């Protein structure tokens, strides 16, 4: 996955993707679980854009930020080769957790194909107890809080 | 994936799984999207148990039953090698759609690790318009409707 | 993945699998990379059968045993729902590395669908330098060395 | 996956990738099977660059070009976040099949991390019997034949 995103406004990060050959399932459309892979790929690029790449923080930080909830709605079937745009926004920004929202639109006509949400909670790496979000991350996310 | 499930009551189908090496992510715990793979693997075995294997219906039926919604809550981190039990129940059974609910418990101590839901809608294979659920499937699911 | 294998002789471990919905690609057949997932799932169950489960050794051992080579030949297309049998044998057993060979046959008629090999090398967890295979593992694999 | 490749010479196509969070396994390094996913992602972009996108040909052509062989050598461990460059060349170009070779180098210092090969055979979509490669594809690949 290459970083290929941009800030389109104060409130959204946009990331481009083309459906992979192996994203399809035996019914010939996007396997539903792969949408969550795509959300996460966009999230990783979003964090990099925020100056807080996940590959650094999972090595150096005492805080992990696992997902505690995820959901998606599938509006129209996506197929191998379809180019899409994934927009991420910060729906809720708390002291110990935050909620991201995603919308997936076809690049060709802008038609919405899916939406989703993920909830992320800061925890201590050792005991998985809830802790305060790292200050830098909270400030960075704040710029995208609608 | 081998069928390794059983009907534990009138209302649930249970399926066993051990977390795979590649289900983990760079943080060392179950990658959140893989839980939806696991839900679907359990669902495929559930359909087989109902006498309506998906690998037959996707070849022979004019009706497809794609997911239109999926969600999950992650209660405690799962790791490679952890043996789990996935229980499926039919939460809602409509004329054109149904909702399944999942609970994931550790085999060792029964502790719940995750829950989830998926919503499935019957559509015409050609135009993806909503249609009535195949009668046989509706009756089969009815046996699990709480 | 549930353990569902057996020792069929002194020289092979056999493991059963049914192709998953998401193992297919946009062409409707097994995505070639998923065969390597399947090899590894069989390998994990093989190690468990040998009394040396990988989920324990990656936590407790100073030695890691990564793959340095993998290959596969695809003889006939596999599709979602196809039940297969994966046989593992130890082709070569050295002091610092070993080679496993795999054959994949259809459960229904025994027809061979694929074959493969993987080469595994013992390395120090810290510096990835080659080391001697753990004695217990070498003895366990020795029982399967043709 | 976004197209992010270029022709670096008459003989190679280069494609950039950053290892995904979920490409790691429980041992914290690239899961070996994911390298074959990466090869295929690069191959799909290569075909697009050749003017013969796979998402079109699998819908319109009577010829499929499945893989019959794949292999890889792993030279040094790759981790989440590592930026790599995948170079594809045409090693052999026959009338009915061709062989691609891949080399994976770290973007930072150019160090080689992996190599591989895939063999692709043209077959009739209906009966999977070997056929002649589509002329346009053969010509396009010819430009990359060393």
């Amino acid at each position: 996955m290459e970083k290929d995103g941009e800030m389109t406004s104060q409130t959204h990060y946009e990331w481009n993707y083309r459906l992979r050959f192996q994203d399809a399932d035996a019914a010939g459309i996007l396997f539903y679980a792969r949408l969550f892979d795509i959300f996460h790929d966009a999230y990783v690029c979003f964090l990099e854009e925020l100056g807080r790449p996940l590959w650094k923080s999972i090595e150096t930080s005492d805080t992990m930020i696992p997902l505690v909830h995820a959901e998606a709605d599938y509006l129209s079937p996506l197929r191998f080769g379809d180019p899409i745009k994934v927009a991420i926004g910060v729906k809720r920004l708390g002291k110990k957790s935050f909620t991201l929202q995603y919308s997936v639109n076809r690049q060709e006509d802008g038609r919405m194909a899916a939406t989703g949400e993920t909830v992320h909670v800061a925890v201590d790496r050792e005991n998985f107890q809830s802790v305060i979000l790292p200050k830098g991350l909270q400030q960075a996310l704040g710029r995208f809080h609608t």
Side-chain angles (χ1 to χ4, degrees), chain A residues 4 12 21 25 32 36 43 55 60-61 63 66 71-72 76 78 80 83 89 97 100-101 107 114 123 128 140:
Chain A
D4 181 25
H12 286 88
F21 189 58
D25 57 30
Y32 88 118
F36 293 99
Y43 168 62
W55 53 85
T60 59
S61 175
T63 303
E71 63 178 88
S76 75
L78 289 166
F80 167 47
S97 70
L100 301 180
Q101 59 188 1
Q107 285 179 26
V123 300
F128 266 73

Side-chain angles (χ1 to χ4, degrees), chain A residues 50-64:
Chain A
L50 293 180
R52 303 189 58 89
L54 186 56
W55 53 85
K56 283 192 184 158
S57 50
I58 63 165
E59 287 203 347
T60 59
S61 175
D62 294 333
T63 303
M64 286 175 66

Side-chain angles (χ1 to χ4, degrees), chain A residues 4-23:
Chain A
D4 181 25
E6 51 175 329
M7 304 294 179
T8 52
S9 71
Q10 290 301 100
T11 55
H12 286 88
Y13 171 75
E14 284 195 0
W15 183 76
N16 294 313
Y17 184 81
R18 190 185 282 281
L19 261 77
R20 299 195 301 171
F21 189 58
Q22 61 272 46
D23 288 338

Side-chain angles (χ1 to χ4, degrees), chain A residues 78-133:
Chain A
L78 289 166
R79 292 190 166 77
F80 167 47
D82 287 353
I84 58 173
K85 202 175 272 293
V86 180
I88 303 185
V90 179
K91 184 182 178 185
R92 189 185 57 80
L93 180 54
K95 285 186 179 167
K96 297 181 164 184
S97 70
F98 58 89
T99 302
L100 301 180
Q101 59 188 1
Y102 307 81
S103 65
V104 176
N105 292 72
R106 295 169 193 279
Q107 285 179 26
E108 285 166 13
D109 57 9
R111 196 153 43 101
M112 188 171 284
T115 59
E117 281 189 21
T118 53
V119 181
H120 306 245
V121 173
V123 300
D124 182 279
R125 178 194 292 273
E126 297 303 323
N127 59 22
F128 266 73
Q129 294 301 303
S130 173
V131 296
I132 300 290
L133 280 171

